[in-house]
């Protein structure tokens, strides 16, 4: 059973690293996809150097004036903005900014779509001068920013062979800020399939882990001297919960009004409590090789981190 668990984890890690032909990278805020065949090669990742406007929540109209805004540089996407150099100073996680990318497209009459994961911690997207989608509400301070993690797909009809993407991002609730996850662009059907296939695999993974967890807990109920089964069962349930709370974050689809602060606490607790649970499992299997002192230290740290997460805001414990 333990071997199966690790096989699933290894397979998942390998799956995430398998990539097709890589699309071009954005250079100085321009991404040339004219030679990219979306039908044959699939969705493209919008990675590379985007235009970056620090402490500005710009609208599409701001770039069509006689005096367009001056950028703060070109920032790598995906990455957080912590440490990015603006006017000779490295910025921290708190703040707000506008990202801009000009995409050169080949001719297509089919509907296209974007696939978004997370941005820290609220964002709005504009395409062709119109608001396309958002998650939370980006603002210029803590009170006006509404944080939300909401991986989703949104489609649109290309109006021309040039795509101007503007993203407003703000963060006053998390340690890191910015567009830290990859954004994908492709044909609408392919983008939806990409998300669905990822969800299906996650469901398979979660189901497999839950079955192992239930098996070990039932085994412990029948033979309560086997504490290793108890620890491993608890560990499986924590990992299954974490799989629902991270990545595609399917639980947000089930509970769209889930409070962001509570959600983030639970996601971190699945990790903070998972380490002591797995350490306890190893200790019961190898009592002579795994000292009690190490268990006490791991449990203390796990409890300390968990209590900190429960009693402090995400900006601190993250």
């Amino acid at each position: 059973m333990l071997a199966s668990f690790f096989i699933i984890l290894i397979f998942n890690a390998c799956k995430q690293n398998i990539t097709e032909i890589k699309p071009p990278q954005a250079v100085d805020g321009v991404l040339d996809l004219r030679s990219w065949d979306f039908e044959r090669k699939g969705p493209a990742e919008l990675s590379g150097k985007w235009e970056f406007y620090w402490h500005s929540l710009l609208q599409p109209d701001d770039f069509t004036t006689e005096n367009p805004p001056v950028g703060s540089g070109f920032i790598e996407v995906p990455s957080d903005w912590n440490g990015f150099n603006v006017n000779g100073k490295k910025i921290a996680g708190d703040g707000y900014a506008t990202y801009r990318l000009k995409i050169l497209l080949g001719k297509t009459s089919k509907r296209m779509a974007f696939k978004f994961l997370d941005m820290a911690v609220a964002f709005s997207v504009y395409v062709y001068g119109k608001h396309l989608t958002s998650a939370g509400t980006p603002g210029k301070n803590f009170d006006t920013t509404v944080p939300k993690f909401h991986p989703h797909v949104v489609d649109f009809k290309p109006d021309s062979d040039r795509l101007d993407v503007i993203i407003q991002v703000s963060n006053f609730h998390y340690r890191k800020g910015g567009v830290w996850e990859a954004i994908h662009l492709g044909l609408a059907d392919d983008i939806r399939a990409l998300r669905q296939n990822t969800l299906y695999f996650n469901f398979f993974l979660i189901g497999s882990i839950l079955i192992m967890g239930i098996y070990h807990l039932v085994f412990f109920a029948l033979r309560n001297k086997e504490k290793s089964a108890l620890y491993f069962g608890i560990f499986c349930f924590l990992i299954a919960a974490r799989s629902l709370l991270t990545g595609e974050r399917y639980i947000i689809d089930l509970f769209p009004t889930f409070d962001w602060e509570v959600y983030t606490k639970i996601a971190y607790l699945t990790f903070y409590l998972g380490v002591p649970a797995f350490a306890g499992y190893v200790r019961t299997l190898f009592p002579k090789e795994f000292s009690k002192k190490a268990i006490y230290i791991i449990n203390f740290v796990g409890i300390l981190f968990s209590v900190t997460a429960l009693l402090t805001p995400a900006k601190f414990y993250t």
Side-chain angles (χ1 to χ4, degrees):
M1 211 41 107
L2 180 60
S4 300
F5 175 77
F6 282 110
I7 288 172
I8 292 173
L9 290 185
I10 292 170
F11 179 63
N12 185 39
C14 292
K15 175 179 177 291
Q16 299 300 327
N17 289 327
I18 296 174
T19 57
E20 300 296 333
I21 302 173
K22 288 196 173 184
Q25 297 280 299
V27 178
D28 294 342
V30 179
L31 178 59
D32 190 348
L33 293 178
R34 288 174 294 184
S35 61
W36 184 262
D37 187 342
F38 287 99
E39 293 188 17
R40 185 170 62 88
K41 299 179 181 178
E45 188 175 296
L46 307 184
S47 300
K49 298 289 186 178
W50 289 47
E51 294 178 19
F52 186 68
Y53 301 82
W54 181 239
H55 277 174
S56 297
L57 294 180
L58 301 172
Q59 301 282 344
D61 292 343
D62 294 323
F63 294 97
T64 59
T65 61
E66 293 183 0
N67 298 308
V70 178
S72 305
F74 298 97
I75 191 169
E76 187 73 27
V77 173
S79 70
D80 57 78
W81 64 41
N82 293 54
F84 185 75
N85 196 308
V86 176
N87 297 325
K89 295 183 180 179
K90 292 184 178 181
I91 62 177
D94 281 12
Y96 54 95
T98 299
Y99 291 73
R100 186 185 185 208
L101 181 66
K102 302 169 188 175
I103 304 175
L104 305 179
L105 289 172
K107 293 182 179 180
T108 177
S109 59
K110 295 186 177 181
R111 292 191 68 82
M112 303 193 73
F114 291 100
K115 180 178 182 294
F116 299 100
L117 282 176
D118 303 329
M119 299 183 202
V121 289
F123 68 90
S124 289
V125 182
Y126 296 83
V127 174
Y128 292 125
K130 298 179 181 179
H131 179 258
L132 181 67
T133 188
S134 61
T137 304
K140 295 184 177 181
N141 53 51
F142 182 90
D143 294 329
T144 58
T145 298
V146 179
K148 186 174 184 178
F149 290 148
H150 182 213
H152 64 285
V153 168
V154 59
D155 63 342
F156 65 97
K157 178 70 174 178
D159 291 340
S160 68
D161 57 1
R162 173 172 167 165
L163 196 60
D164 200 6
V165 181
I166 297 171
I167 304 179
Q168 300 174 345
V169 185
S170 69
N171 172 56
F172 295 92
H173 298 72
Y174 207 82
R175 183 173 65 88
K176 295 181 178 181
V179 184
W180 57 13
E181 296 283 2
I183 301 170
H184 289 85
L185 171 67
L187 300 179
D189 290 341
D190 292 341
I191 288 290
R192 290 195 187 93
L194 177 63
R195 174 167 164 80
Q196 288 299 322
N197 291 338
T198 304
L199 286 173
Y200 291 152
F201 181 81
N202 286 342
F203 293 154
F204 166 76
L205 185 67
I206 292 168
S208 301
I209 296 173
L210 283 176
I211 290 172
M212 288 189 285
I214 293 170
Y215 169 84
H216 282 82
L217 291 179
V218 171
F219 185 75
F220 174 75
L222 297 175
R223 299 181 61 181
N224 54 23
K225 290 185 179 180
E226 297 290 339
K227 290 187 178 180
S228 62
L230 173 63
Y231 286 121
F232 191 72
I234 293 173
F235 178 72
C236 286
F237 274 89
L238 289 171
I239 293 301
R242 185 166 182 79
S243 297
L244 277 174
L245 293 163
T246 58
E248 294 291 341
R249 303 183 189 270
Y250 182 69
I251 198 169
I252 296 296
D253 293 337
L254 300 177
F255 306 100
T257 59
F258 205 144
D259 182 82
W260 183 87
E261 189 73 47
V262 175
Y263 175 93
T264 306
K265 288 181 185 295
I266 296 173
Y268 271 76
L269 285 172
T270 57
F271 175 72
Y272 294 156
L273 297 175
V275 174
F278 191 76
Y281 169 70
V282 176
R283 163 68 182 173
T284 56
L285 289 181
F286 309 103
K288 294 182 180 180
E289 290 80 7
F290 208 101
S291 71
K292 287 186 177 180
K293 185 180 292 186
I295 285 291
Y296 292 149
I297 294 174
I298 292 173
N299 288 343
F300 174 78
V301 173
I303 293 172
L304 177 64
F305 276 55
S306 299
V307 171
T308 302
L310 288 172
L311 299 180
T312 63
K315 184 180 175 182
F316 178 80
Y317 66 79
T318 57

